[in-house]
Amino acid sequence: AGRLQSILVVEMSSGQMIEDVRLAVAERVPVFFEGRMGGAISSESDVLHAALNIMHASPPAESPNAV
């Protein structure tokens, strides 16, 4: 995670993979979530919007979407 500033987890669930991702990066970077439940799929626009919001957060670790 040397140059990595944050990670966006995108999944069709309520966020079950977030803990695994946090463990994988040893909490060196904030992990954010974009997802939908009930079979709904996040659109490309949803993912792009989430990524742009993370990129513009200052500092990323204090963003309200950090998990």
Side-chain angles (χ1 to χ4, degrees), residues 21-48:
V21 174
R22 291 169 101 189
L23 290 170
V25 298
E27 298 188 14
R28 291 178 293 226
V29 295
V31 177
F32 295 85
F33 174 74
E34 168 57 35
R36 304 281 186 269
M37 295 190 320
I41 300 172
S42 296
S43 69
E44 294 166 353
S45 177
D46 293 332
V47 175
L48 177 61

